[in-house]
Amino acid sequence: MDDQNKNLILATVLSLVVILGWFLIFPPEEQAPSPEIDEVSTAPTENLGPGTASDAVPGSALEQAAPVAQEAPRVTIETPELAGSLSLRGGRIDDLSLVDYNETLDPQSPLVRLLSPVGTDTPYYAVWGWAPVGAAAGPLPGPDTVWTLESGETLTPENPVTLSWDNGEGLIFRRTVSVDNKFMFDVEQTVENTTDAAVTLAPYGFVARHGEPDTQGFFILHEGVVRMSDGTLEEIDYDDMPDLEPDARGAGRVDVAEVAGNGWTGFTDKYWMTTLIPEPGTPFRSVVRYSDNSEIYQTDAVLPAIEVAPGATATSGTQLFAGAKEWEAIRSYQNEGGIDGFVDSIDWGWFFFLTKPIFMLLHFLNGVIGNMGWAIVALTVILKAIVFPLAYRSYVSMARMKELQPEMEKLKEQAGDDRQKMQQGMMKLYKENKVNPASGCLPILLQIPIFFSLYKVIFVTIELRHAEWFGWIRDLSAPDPSSILNLFGLLPFDAPDPTSFLAIISLGILPILLGISMWLQQKLNPAPADPTQKMVFAWMPWVFMFMLGNFASGLVLYWITNNTITFIQQYAIMRSHGAKPDVFGNIKSGFKRKPKTAEAKPANANGKPRK
């Protein structure tokens, strides 16, 4: 086997090992059922040190529980992106649906629901309040306090609402909630002290989620807590939260981070996120909590305590992002709103140095072209142009290797069985002709990080969710829905369910085109004479076809485009070096049967063949 073919097979095997190993070593996790949670909590009252955040989090949903949710008046929320309501019980934002996102491709399917109140199957909400430091002047508002709507009727971008609550002992609390045109709420908490003594209180906010949500459970995707603490991003999966250290006071399991000036904390799903954001420059204590008993997941932002003098009013502000992880919106909140590192709430993965620029270029191309499928095609062309100088050297070196074949055959005849002499002769030949035998690996190896990065982009970014190309491809983040088993819709039955065994052989049009594009690329050269090489080359396109058959159609589209461009480049370079690839001849030879050799008949005693 010559070095050119040896390196090509090695590169192919490495590609297969990486792709297969990824899924075999790190298979998707089994989905655990979400437990039924029917508990709602009240706020504990814990002592705080003056001017500091509490060691334990006030207002925790983990501490005390009531058996059922209590009804309370609601305030409607209407924005271009959000629909729902907030409850006057606790002033909770606990009912939000995303106007522009349906659960399925069917436009009549339900809207994606992000937040849900206690009493539903999956309670998920945000709460704010105050905790005492030292002696408090009477009761303080918590998660179950019933507020009064002081001003405003419907919460819209143009019309904020103000809630109020009087504790009856000289403290009057107000909460003004406003919202922008996208997904950001501003919550301003004030306390007016009408007593004749100063009081010290600590403002806080928390996001609580009852029961583990129905997650993707795929190892390359983070779902759970995401928080930024002074430039340090931290991610904690839902299934890792039960392993946190137990709180010394028995308040569940906790993980605490002190934030000096800039940070945020919340929960992220694949496409959606709910995040508490103290005002930039404000120190706070970021706490992650989990309750073994009630199975409540919680993130808290506890701000420094404030001393309120008699007759004075104190104010504390917090933001809440609750919506889709749209890159443009999140980047705007980071760049214009001063939210440090907010773009990193999108799970860019280990290859972030590739996934970020690849996504930004894809997003730009989609904005220019207006179609994400054609944007992927354009992206592939640009990526191939960027790596072309390296690929060109590789293709030229491969072409020169072809030119050296006659001399290599002479070396084999001269060396005979002396492998050392053969290797020395070949290395001398390569050096004299300035040929790098390892260059054949380069085009394939270059594909691996780009392939993984683009896979990550297509898998995690919401811009690819339900993005159409044309015809039957209505979601580039999902596998090709067509199936060869029903002749791509011509037969009167549906394609197999993606979870069934038949889905493995239920190839769509795009995976089949992928296999054909790889097969044609092989036909630029005659089939190897070595039987082992010939078998590997013959099976490789169809193995890749089945391997990538259930990948996102956007990724398969990229691979088809990449193969097509590679074919054109190799063909042109080979022609420029005097070679004339006989593609059709190589295809025909692949279908020809090898002629049978006549079997030698045993000789008789005289040495002549028997009749």
Side-chain angles (χ1 to χ4, degrees), residues 317-479:
T318 310
Q319 291 181 298
L320 173 74
F321 177 93
K325 294 195 292 185
E326 296 176 359
W327 178 74
E328 281 193 351
I330 291 177
R331 184 185 61 164
S332 174
Y333 291 132
Q334 173 180 292
N335 296 343
E336 299 172 18
I339 303 175
D340 182 45
F342 207 39
V343 167
D344 291 331
S345 61
I346 300 172
D347 185 12
W348 301 110
W350 294 345
F351 292 105
F352 63 91
F353 52 89
L354 286 177
T355 51
K356 280 186 177 181
I358 284 176
F359 170 78
M360 292 172 66
L361 179 56
L362 182 62
H363 185 76
F364 169 77
L365 292 171
N366 182 49
V368 173
I369 299 171
N371 181 285
M372 189 61 79
W374 294 118
I376 291 175
V377 173
L379 173 72
T380 311
V381 173
I382 293 173
L383 291 176
K384 291 294 287 184
I386 291 172
V387 301
F388 180 71
L390 291 175
Y392 178 79
R393 294 180 187 176
S394 173
Y395 298 149
V396 168
S397 184
M398 291 172 66
R400 288 179 179 172
M401 291 278 287
K402 291 285 183 185
E403 296 171 3
L404 295 177
Q405 283 295 119
E407 296 186 47
M408 291 172 66
E409 291 297 327
K410 290 180 182 179
L411 277 175
K412 290 179 182 179
E413 293 176 3
Q414 294 172 0
D417 295 332
D418 190 342
R419 294 184 61 84
Q420 184 176 359
K421 182 179 179 181
M422 175 67 183
Q423 289 294 330
Q424 289 174 347
M426 290 178 66
M427 292 305 295
K428 182 180 179 182
L429 189 64
Y430 293 152
K431 187 175 181 180
E432 290 174 351
N433 290 274
K434 298 180 180 181
V435 172
N436 182 4
S439 63
C441 299
L442 190 59
I444 296 177
L445 293 179
L446 283 174
Q447 301 299 326
I448 295 176
I450 296 174
F451 175 85
F452 286 163
S453 299
L454 188 59
Y455 177 74
K456 182 77 170 181
V457 166
I458 292 174
F459 188 73
V460 305
T461 56
I462 196 169
E463 285 76 7
L464 271 295
R465 180 183 186 265
H466 296 178
E468 296 185 10
W469 182 26
F470 75 89
W472 76 103
I473 303 295
R474 299 176 58 202
D475 186 357
L476 287 163
S477 69

Side-chain angles (χ1 to χ4, degrees), residues 163-231:
L163 316 180
S164 65
W165 182 72
D166 190 333
N167 77 344
E169 298 185 22
L171 296 182
I172 301 173
F173 298 87
R174 289 183 175 83
R175 185 176 301 164
T176 300
V177 183
S178 56
V179 64
D180 66 10
N181 286 315
K182 295 298 289 185
F183 309 113
M184 190 69 78
F185 293 85
D186 280 279
V187 179
E188 183 182 81
Q189 296 193 91
T190 63
V191 53
E192 180 183 355
N193 182 6
T194 63
T195 70
D196 55 4
V199 295
T200 304
L201 304 174
Y204 66 86
F206 69 81
V207 176
R209 195 163 198 172
H210 294 217
E212 183 174 354
D214 184 16
T215 62
Q216 294 276 325
F218 198 29
F219 80 98
I220 70 163
L221 173 68
H222 168 67
E223 294 170 287
V225 173
V226 59
R227 62 178 176 179
M228 182 68 71
S229 303
D230 296 317

Side-chain angles (χ1 to χ4, degrees), residues 599-611:
E599 295 183 3
K601 296 182 179 180
N604 57 21
N606 297 325
K608 296 181 179 180
R610 292 178 181 175
K611 295 182 179 179

Side-chain angles (χ1 to χ4, degrees), residues 75-119:
V75 177
T76 301
I77 299 173
E78 290 182 1
T79 81
E81 301 282 351
L82 300 171
S85 62
L86 65 84
S87 174
L88 293 185
R89 181 170 297 280
R92 307 177 182 207
I93 298 179
D94 63 356
D95 174 26
L96 278 183
S97 295
L98 306 179
V99 173
D100 289 338
Y101 295 95
N102 297 86
E103 291 183 357
T104 68
L105 284 169
D106 183 357
Q108 302 303 317
S109 63
L111 297 177
V112 170
R113 189 169 189 179
L114 180 62
L115 301 183
S116 301
V118 172

